[in-house]
Amino acid sequence: MQSTDLGNKESGKIWHRKPSPATHDGIIVNIVHSTSEYHPKVLRFLNVAFDGSGNSFIAGDHQGNIYAFDLHGNRFALVQRTAQACTALAFDLRRKSEFLVALADYSIKCFDTVTRELVSWMRGHESSVSSISVHASGRYAITTSSDTAQLWDLDTFQRKRKLNIRQSVGIQKVFFLPFSNTILSCFKDNSIFAWECDTLFCKYQLPAPPEGSSIVYKVFAVTRDGRILAAGGKSNHLHLWCLETTQLFRIIQMPTKVRAVRHLEFLPDSFDAGSNQVLGVLSQDGIMRFVNIQTCKLLFEIGSVEEGISSSVISPHGRYIASIMENGSLNIYSVQALTQEINKPPPPLVKVIEDLPNNTLSSSNLKMKMVSGRVQRPARSKESRIQTRILKQDLEGNVENKENELSEGLNKKRLQILLKGYGEYPTKYRMFIWRSLLQLPENHTAFSSLVDKGTHVAYLNLQKKYPIKSRKLLRVLQRTLSALAHWSAIFSDTPYLPLLAFPFVKLFQNNQLICFEVVATLIINWCQHWFEYFPNPPINILSMIENVLAFHDKELLQHFTERDVTSQLYAWPLLETVFSEVLTREEWLRLFDNVFSNHPSFLLMAVVAYNTCSRAPLLNSTLKDDIEYFFHHRNNLDINVVIREVYRLMETTPADIHPRSMLDAFVALTKGQYPIFNQYPKFIVDYQTRERERIRNDELDFLRERQTVENMQAEVDEQRAEDEAWYQKQELLRRAEETRREMLLQEEEKMVQQRHRLAAAKRELKMKEMRLQDAARRRFLKLQQDQREMELRRLEDEIERKVQMRDEEIAATAKDLEMKQLELESQKRHYEKDLTTSQDAIAKEIRDGADAHRRKVTLEEHMFRNLLETSQLGNRTRRVVEDNLAKAEQACLDADWQIQALHKQKCDDKQRSAGYQEVATLLRKNRRREIEVLNAMMKEEAKKQWKEAGEKELHLESEKRASALSDASRKWFLKQETSAAREHGGDLLCEAELPWLQREHMASNYLSQTSQLNGVSEMDSSTQTFSSRKTTEWNHTERDLLKKVRNLRQRLTAQARDRCQPPHLLVT
């Protein structure tokens, strides 16, 4: 196996010595792309695509490098650098040098391999493109991703159609059927639809798989003729669908080692007319197995577990397989090498033991012959020799004729003996025996070159002359005849060649190479000298047949002569159709078992034997047409009798008239290339070719001239038709004009009547409109009046709500005042309690101190009397100073109490003034709204009547006077409230001054009592008297304060009630 590293080379040879792939693996070359950096790495190939010829392909790696490989020319070249990985490739476009590549950015680009330029750039996919399918014509392409499939026109590179699906149902694959105008779409829910490409009409849908199968289709493959669809997935089962009947006709179970199928592809064969029988199955283990879908046998496999295959592509002609390995390299396999063992013929049915020649003797292959002799007893002699049986070697070997030795190990002589014994070859081995007898070379390359030249121009319209029902059979016949015409020019002008080749085409329709070589061998050997008198029938061959018939049955020949029946009627129809018209299939096969096993003259003798065996009906036929009909239709004739008669004629015919003397022995086709066939008058063929070409050119000229004349005639007819149409149109226009005039007159009369009716209707509508307007005006006035009443009610409700809110706020303010007064009273009581407690404690301390001091004074009275007298003046001064300080401190305390009382009074005044301001604000708003309402009412009433305007004006003046009176009353009320507040503030100040005087008096008494240590008992009684008197005064003060607050609340409520009265009540 050769290996090629592309490296950094942009071009070079694929292999450096002629590849010779081994049978066991079939690898032609292994291609690796590695970089030559400091740390070399292998660039993995991702996709491969063959072109239409199958001799070239392109491959792309994961870095975006795309290489073109020419297997026929042994060259590779770097054609593009896309700088991103490719996800799909297509190389079979209409322009052979262009290819499509789907990239990782979801775009599709078209490049040219020759110019290496970008041809077009197509966008539209939103996910990675998984496959590209190109129509057989190369005009359209389908690109498929997981969410959509798009149809592109490759002439304009514009998107024609787009297949959108639901997100729950994904797309597996959408592709064209080969050589068809049908699109097959396969979805992830196992549904498969077939669409017409042009109209996108759904042709059919395949039914769901059987219920027992749990396979989910992921990979698909179609035969070249588009008849069979193979589907597989995560299972070892393969489903084969017949697309013509839309039925599942076979389920193939792969070996147990196969758990999932990753890729499917049919192996094309040039000789199966597109009905591919071999299917390649790539499984999860990296091995691609090729099985026959008819026999379900495993033929061969490529790849291994160690060197697994990632994906594979087979060339269109089926010669090469390009496989991307799991290690990133690229293997090219030879299908011919892989199928070499399969294409070997089966072992021969007949085994022949051959004798050896004299010069080849060995201990292992000697034939021994036993010879008997007398056994003598040993004699008593000196030599003491013993005489026993002697074995003698038989050195006489029979050397067989080399002509009877066949390439497959068969012997022609033995086959002839077997044929004479059974009358025919076994059906199972007949084709193999024929191939051995004819020694077919099976030149695949030479035949492919003939087939690749296409259909010959002489057989383009073969179906018109020979309308065969089976299209497949017609294609095979057309291909075989075209190959024969390309092989030799005379076969393009041979009119009977389709009749000659048809039975063999029908017999070998699944193997076109064998069919071609059988027909070519038949022409070279059994059709010798047929073309010497071309284009006439082979007169020399027919003369041979006539001579033999004259020798064996003169009476029949005389009968033919009398009825003017020549050999062209009784011999040539049998030869040009090789008896296919007069024999059944089994009879024809039996006859050609003998024809191919004997000398080429056997076929001519068979013609004579057919006539002699049919002499009775022929002698009874007196009409030439009856005899001609006899040789073109099947007759009641035993073929075994005919064959025995042929063998009799071959043995009894004299040598001078025997066809064997004038025909050469069998010559097989040469190996590698087919021999040149020029046994025909070349000048006649060339002349006919030139004449045919001249006739074709003249015919083309005639057709062009006829087309021109037809075009001119068509133009004249079209012009005449246009003129007639114009005149007819003018006549129709004139008639239409008259009709329209009449119609216009009628319409005018109708219009006058309609105008009168419309005028009456307008009057009625006008009256109705006036009535409606009057009703609407009255309804509008009523609506306005209702709206005003609603507005007045709303304003009254708003006034009542605000008065209520104001009363609630006044009540809340009064409650707050009461709560604050109660808090002050509670604070006063708490203070009095604390003061009484402190006074009691001070009095106790004073009494204790006085007792102690009295005892001291009693004890030390006599000691300090003189001192007290001396310092009496100083003590008086000190007491005066202490009295002054106590008075000053008491004055400060009194001032603080007055300041606090004034501050509290000031806060109350502020709160009261705020309440008055709010009430005044509400009053102002009410006056403003009253004025607005009055103004609005005055304006509306002014629009109605001038008389009501005066009354409204008088009412407005009365309202103004009422408003002035209300303003005067509010001012008087504010003055009264202000004076009342001032009087109340004066009363509170007087009431606050009385406790201060009492407290000042109490403080002075307290100071006098504390200064007089000797009058403790008098101080206690005075203190008790002050406390009871102070409590009585505070009780009176509290009752007065509550009474004044109650009076103030009643007065404020009355004033608020007076202000809430409506203004018109004040006027009245």
Side-chain angles (χ1 to χ4, degrees):
M1 179 182 69
Q2 298 187 54
S3 181
T4 301
D5 189 355
L6 303 182
N8 293 329
K9 296 182 290 185
E10 294 190 357
S11 62
K13 291 185 177 181
I14 303 176
W15 54 77
H16 297 283
R17 63 179 184 274
K18 186 176 180 180
S20 56
T23 307
H24 65 279
D25 59 4
I27 300 178
I28 299 176
V29 64
N30 172 253
I31 301 172
V32 182
H33 186 196
S34 61
T35 59
S36 59
E37 299 175 355
Y38 181 73
H39 295 289
K41 62 179 180 179
V42 176
L43 300 182
R44 299 175 57 86
F45 286 101
L46 297 180
N47 289 281
V48 179
F50 277 94
D51 64 350
S53 66
N55 294 322
S56 301
F57 66 91
I58 57 175
D61 58 22
H62 71 273
Q63 286 193 352
N65 302 315
I66 299 178
Y67 288 87
F69 298 87
D70 184 5
L71 299 177
H72 187 72
N74 187 24
R75 300 292 299 176
F76 74 89
L78 176 65
V79 295
Q80 196 57 237
R81 298 181 189 269
T82 61
Q84 52 183 325
C86 62
T87 58
L89 291 172
F91 197 23
D92 50 350
L93 307 186
R94 178 185 293 182
R95 291 173 285 273
K96 303 302 181 183
S97 61
E98 295 179 358
F99 65 92
L100 295 176
V101 53
L103 302 175
D105 61 352
Y106 312 152
S107 64
I108 301 102
K109 294 184 179 180
C110 180
F111 294 100
D112 194 301
T113 57
V114 178
T115 62
R116 302 184 182 183
E117 294 180 353
L118 177 65
V119 179
S120 181
W121 191 347
M122 297 173 285
R123 289 184 176 273
H125 283 277
E126 297 180 356
S127 59
S128 178
V129 177
S130 58
S131 66
I132 301 176
S133 177
V134 182
H135 191 264
S137 63
R139 182 178 179 183
Y140 303 110
I142 293 178
T143 56
T144 307
S145 60
S146 60
D147 56 351
T148 183
Q150 300 185 13
L151 177 64
W152 303 88
D153 188 342
L154 297 183
D155 291 337
T156 61
F157 295 99
Q158 298 293 325
R159 184 174 65 192
K160 289 190 63 179
R161 297 293 177 90
K162 181 179 180 181
L163 174 63
N164 291 320
I165 60 169
R166 297 192 304 268
Q167 294 182 355
S168 58
V169 181
I171 298 177
Q172 289 287 12
K173 191 175 182 181
V174 180
F175 54 95
F176 287 104
L177 291 183
F179 305 105
S180 174
N181 208 29
T182 303
I183 300 174
L184 214 62
S185 60
C186 310
F187 300 94
K188 291 184 179 179
D189 59 352
N190 282 2
S191 59
I192 301 175
F193 294 86
W195 312 84
E196 184 67 29
C197 177
D198 297 331
T199 62
L200 290 185
F201 173 75
C202 183
K203 299 174 66 175
Y204 57 84
Q205 177 186 0
L206 296 184
E211 296 180 357
S213 63
S214 60
I215 182 173
V216 177
Y217 295 156
K218 291 186 177 296
V219 289
F220 306 89
V222 183
T223 56
R224 299 283 290 177
D225 58 2
R227 295 182 178 181
I228 298 176
L229 170 68
K234 197 173 182 181
S235 172
N236 64 344
H237 286 186
L238 298 177
H239 287 188
L240 299 181
W241 294 85
C242 179
L243 297 181
E244 292 181 343
T245 61
T246 66
Q247 295 294 327
L248 179 67
F249 72 93
R250 183 166 300 156
I251 298 178
I252 300 177
Q253 183 176 0
M254 298 296 292
T256 55
K257 294 183 290 184
V258 177
R259 297 190 303 273
V261 179
R262 294 165 52 184
H263 183 68
L264 291 174
E265 190 161 359
F266 280 96
L267 180 63
D269 192 344
S270 301
F271 316 116
D272 58 5
S275 59
N276 311 134
Q277 305 296 319
V278 180
L279 176 63
V281 182
L282 177 61
S283 57
Q284 86 290 340
D285 55 1
I287 300 175
M288 192 166 186
R289 299 169 175 85
F290 290 83
V291 298
N292 190 304
I293 61 175
Q294 298 297 333
T295 62
C296 296
K297 291 184 179 180
L298 179 63
L299 303 180
F300 61 92
E301 59 184 29
I302 57 176
S304 62
V305 178
E306 295 80 10
E307 296 180 358
I309 297 175
S310 177
S311 63
S312 291
V313 179
I314 303 176
S315 62
H317 52 49
R319 297 179 188 173
Y320 306 109
I321 303 175
S323 299
I324 299 175
M325 311 304 291
E326 292 180 350
N327 58 7
S329 62
L330 186 63
N331 281 359
I332 310 299
Y333 295 89
S334 172
V335 178
Q336 185 177 1
L338 292 169
T339 58
Q340 187 173 358
E341 293 294 331
I342 303 171
N343 292 332
K344 281 187 175 180
L349 181 65
V350 180
K351 302 291 184 182
V352 180
I353 300 175
E354 301 178 358
D355 292 336
L356 293 175
N358 296 331
N359 55 354
T360 57
L361 299 175
S362 65
S363 60
S364 61
N365 54 9
L366 290 178
K367 287 187 178 181
M368 308 300 293
K369 188 181 242 184
M370 185 179 291
V371 180
S372 62
R374 260 186 1 180
V375 180
Q376 299 179 357
R377 294 188 180 271
R380 298 180 182 271
S381 61
K382 293 182 180 180
E383 291 90 3
S384 299
R385 295 179 180 177
I386 300 174
Q387 198 171 19
T388 61
R389 287 185 300 175
I390 302 173
L391 295 175
K392 297 180 66 176
Q393 297 179 354
D394 186 9
L395 301 178
E396 295 178 1
N398 296 324
V399 181
E400 295 288 343
N401 190 357
K402 293 297 181 180
E403 294 180 357
N404 294 327
E405 298 296 331
L406 301 179
S407 59
E408 286 80 4
L410 300 180
N411 186 277
K412 187 174 181 180
K413 202 75 171 178
R414 301 286 183 179
L415 290 176
Q416 290 175 350
I417 295 172
L418 180 67
L419 181 62
K420 288 182 179 180
Y422 292 96
E424 60 179 342
Y425 291 129
T427 304
K428 183 177 180 180
Y429 299 102
R430 175 177 281 122
M431 299 300 105
F432 168 68
I433 293 173
W434 281 18
R435 290 165 63 181
S436 301
L437 289 171
L438 300 178
Q439 302 178 24
L440 302 180
E442 299 185 16
N443 298 327
H444 291 273
T445 305
F447 178 70
S448 297
S449 63
L450 294 175
V451 171
D452 292 342
K453 292 181 180 179
T455 304
H456 198 276
V457 65
Y459 299 106
L460 286 174
N461 300 321
L462 182 66
Q463 67 275 9
K464 295 181 179 179
K465 190 174 182 180
Y466 299 97
I468 300 175
K469 185 177 181 181
S470 174
R471 297 187 63 184
K472 176 184 176 182
L473 192 62
L474 178 63
R475 288 196 301 269
V476 177
L477 177 63
Q478 191 177 34
R479 194 172 297 175
T480 304
L481 296 178
S482 298
L484 291 170
H486 290 306
W487 176 41
S488 180
I490 191 174
F491 297 127
S492 63
D493 300 324
T494 306
Y496 56 85
L497 186 62
L499 301 175
L500 181 71
F502 179 74
F504 299 98
V505 170
K506 192 172 183 180
L507 188 63
F508 298 98
Q509 58 181 327
N510 291 328
N511 196 334
Q512 299 178 35
L513 171 64
I514 300 301
C515 177
F516 171 80
E517 293 186 349
V518 168
V519 175
T521 305
L522 178 72
I523 292 173
I524 290 177
N525 294 279
W526 281 272
C527 299
Q528 298 181 36
H529 310 294
W530 280 28
F531 306 100
E532 292 179 357
Y533 293 91
F534 183 83
N536 299 315
I539 300 173
N540 49 352
I541 299 298
L542 298 179
S543 299
M544 295 180 194
I545 295 173
E546 189 172 354
N547 292 335
V548 175
L549 181 63
F551 179 79
H552 290 284
D553 198 340
K554 291 182 180 180
E555 182 183 359
L556 182 60
L557 181 61
Q558 184 64 29
H559 178 73
F560 286 155
T561 304
E562 292 175 355
R563 302 294 182 272
D564 195 19
V565 176
T566 63
S567 56
Q568 294 185 14
L569 289 180
Y570 66 81
W572 181 237
L574 301 177
L575 289 178
E576 67 178 357
T577 61
V578 286
F579 292 89
S580 62
E581 282 187 346
V582 298
L583 298 178
T584 63
R585 175 185 174 88
E586 297 300 327
E587 292 174 348
W588 187 85
L589 291 174
R590 197 177 304 169
L591 173 64
F592 269 84
D593 285 343
N594 293 272
V595 170
F596 289 150
S597 300
N598 290 277
H599 192 270
S601 60
F602 190 89
L603 182 63
L604 304 182
M605 290 299 187
V607 175
V608 178
Y610 189 85
N611 281 271
T612 56
C613 291
S614 306
R615 67 188 310 274
L618 290 174
L619 290 174
N620 292 330
S621 300
T622 58
L623 297 177
K624 183 178 180 180
D625 295 339
D626 295 342
I627 297 175
E628 184 178 0
Y629 179 86
F630 181 86
F631 288 103
H632 285 281
H633 294 82
R634 294 177 183 175
N635 304 292
N636 297 325
L637 190 63
D638 189 0
I639 192 63
N640 294 323
V641 176
V642 175
I643 292 173
R644 286 196 298 269
E645 179 67 16
V646 173
Y647 280 109
R648 189 188 69 80
L649 294 176
M650 291 285 289
E651 294 175 356
T652 59
T653 302
D656 55 344
I657 62 173
H658 201 292
R660 183 186 295 133
S661 62
M662 288 167 280
L663 297 179
D664 298 333
F666 174 80
V667 178
L669 295 177
T670 56
K671 190 76 174 178
Q673 295 291 334
Y674 295 117
I676 299 174
F677 186 82
N678 54 3
Q679 299 176 6
Y680 58 87
K682 193 172 185 302
F683 67 94
I684 294 178
V685 175
D686 294 342
Y687 173 75
Q688 285 191 349
T689 303
R690 289 194 299 271
E691 286 296 314
R692 189 179 296 104
E693 187 67 25
R694 183 184 61 78
I695 293 171
R696 185 180 294 109
N697 293 333
D698 293 343
E699 190 176 30
L700 291 175
D701 295 339
F702 170 73
L703 291 175
R704 282 194 293 269
E705 291 178 358
R706 188 174 68 180
Q707 184 66 30
T708 304
V709 172
E710 290 177 354
N711 293 336
M712 293 175 64
Q713 185 65 32
E715 291 178 359
V716 171
D717 295 341
E718 184 178 359
Q719 186 65 34
R720 186 183 298 110
E722 288 179 358
D723 294 342
E724 292 178 358
W726 186 82
Y727 285 119
Q728 292 177 0
K729 187 176 181 181
Q730 293 297 322
E731 181 66 21
L732 291 174
L733 288 174
R734 185 184 62 78
R735 293 178 182 177
E737 186 176 359
E738 293 178 356
T739 306
R740 288 193 184 91
R741 287 177 182 176
E742 295 176 357
M743 291 173 63
L744 285 174
L745 292 175
Q746 295 175 1
E747 290 297 329
E748 286 178 358
E749 293 178 359
K750 291 180 181 179
M751 288 292 292
V752 171
Q753 296 175 1
Q754 288 180 359
R755 286 194 187 97
H756 294 307
R757 288 195 295 268
L758 286 175
K762 283 181 180 180
R763 285 193 298 273
E764 292 178 359
L765 289 175
K766 191 67 175 177
M767 295 297 294
K768 189 175 180 180
E769 183 179 359
M770 291 173 65
R771 289 193 295 270
L772 290 175
Q773 287 179 355
D774 189 19
R777 183 179 60 80
R778 287 195 295 270
R779 193 182 302 111
F780 179 71
L781 292 175
K782 185 177 179 182
L783 178 62
Q784 285 184 342
Q785 185 177 359
D786 294 340
Q787 288 179 352
R788 291 192 189 96
E789 291 177 358
M790 290 176 62
E791 183 69 21
L792 289 173
R793 285 196 296 271
R794 188 182 64 79
L795 290 174
E796 290 176 359
D797 295 340
E798 185 72 19
I799 291 170
E800 291 177 0
R801 186 178 62 82
K802 290 189 176 181
V803 169
Q804 186 179 0
M805 289 175 61
R806 184 189 61 195
D807 294 342
E808 291 177 356
E809 290 176 358
I810 292 171
T813 304
K815 290 180 181 179
D816 291 340
L817 290 174
E818 291 177 0
M819 291 299 294
K820 290 180 181 179
Q821 189 65 31
L822 292 175
E823 288 177 0
L824 289 174
E825 293 297 330
S826 64
Q827 289 178 1
K828 287 178 183 180
R829 293 190 184 95
H830 183 66
Y831 177 72
E832 290 174 356
K833 184 180 178 181
D834 293 342
L835 182 60
T836 304
T837 304
S838 61
Q839 286 177 355
D840 293 340
I842 292 169
K844 187 177 179 181
E845 290 178 0
I846 291 173
R847 283 194 301 270
D848 292 339
D851 293 338
H853 184 66
R854 191 181 297 114
R855 285 190 297 270
K856 279 184 184 183
V857 170
T858 303
L859 294 174
E860 296 177 358
E861 185 175 7
H862 62 279
M863 295 174 64
F864 293 101
R865 188 174 298 277
N866 294 328
L867 181 61
L868 289 174
E869 291 177 356
T870 304
S871 59
Q872 186 175 4
L873 182 61
N875 289 331
R876 289 176 182 173
T877 306
R878 182 173 56 80
R879 282 195 298 271
V880 172
V881 172
E882 289 177 358
D883 292 339
N884 293 331
L885 289 175
K887 289 179 181 180
E889 185 177 357
Q890 187 64 35
C892 290
L893 293 173
D894 295 339
D896 292 336
W897 289 345
Q898 289 178 0
I899 291 171
Q900 292 178 359
L902 290 174
H903 184 267
K904 182 177 181 181
Q905 183 181 2
K906 190 175 182 180
C907 290
D908 294 338
D909 294 338
K910 286 183 178 180
Q911 292 177 358
R912 194 178 298 107
S913 62
Y916 290 147
Q917 288 179 2
E918 183 177 358
V919 172
T921 303
L922 291 174
L923 291 173
R924 285 194 298 273
K925 289 183 179 179
N926 291 336
R927 286 196 302 272
R928 195 162 49 247
R929 288 177 180 174
E930 290 171 359
I931 293 170
E932 291 177 358
V933 171
L934 292 173
N935 290 333
M937 293 175 65
M938 184 181 65
K939 288 179 181 180
E940 291 296 331
E941 293 299 328
K943 291 180 181 179
K944 296 179 182 179
Q945 295 177 0
W946 288 97
K947 185 177 180 179
E948 293 179 357
E951 295 176 358
K952 293 295 180 179
E953 187 175 358
L954 295 175
H955 188 274
L956 179 60
E957 291 177 357
S958 64
E959 291 294 333
K960 288 182 179 180
R961 287 194 298 272
S963 177
L965 291 175
S966 64
D967 291 341
S969 64
R970 280 192 292 272
K971 290 179 181 179
W972 176 81
F973 169 72
L974 290 176
K975 290 179 180 179
Q976 290 294 110
E977 291 297 326
T978 305
S979 62
R982 289 176 181 174
E983 291 176 359
H984 179 64
D987 295 339
L988 292 177
L989 184 59
C990 293
E991 291 174 359
E993 289 176 353
L994 180 59
W996 181 80
L997 294 174
Q998 293 174 355
R999 286 193 296 272
E1000 185 179 2
H1001 180 65
M1002 179 191 65
S1004 62
N1005 292 336
Y1006 174 75
L1007 290 174
S1008 62
Q1009 290 172 5
T1010 54
S1011 63
Q1012 296 175 3
L1013 296 175
N1014 296 326
V1016 177
S1017 59
E1018 291 83 358
M1019 184 210 43
D1020 292 336
S1021 60
S1022 64
T1023 302
Q1024 293 174 357
T1025 303
F1026 170 76
S1027 297
S1028 60
R1029 188 171 62 251
K1030 187 65 175 177
T1031 301
T1032 305
E1033 291 176 358
W1034 279 351
N1035 291 333
H1036 288 293
T1037 304
E1038 182 179 1
R1039 284 195 296 270
D1040 295 337
L1041 182 59
L1042 292 174
K1043 184 177 181 180
K1044 290 180 179 181
V1045 169
R1046 195 178 299 112
N1047 294 331
L1048 177 62
R1049 187 182 302 154
Q1050 293 175 358
R1051 193 165 53 249
L1052 291 174
T1053 304
Q1055 292 175 2
R1057 191 180 296 112
D1058 296 336
R1059 286 195 300 270
C1060 291
Q1061 292 178 357
H1064 64 274
L1065 296 177
L1066 295 175
V1067 175
T1068 59

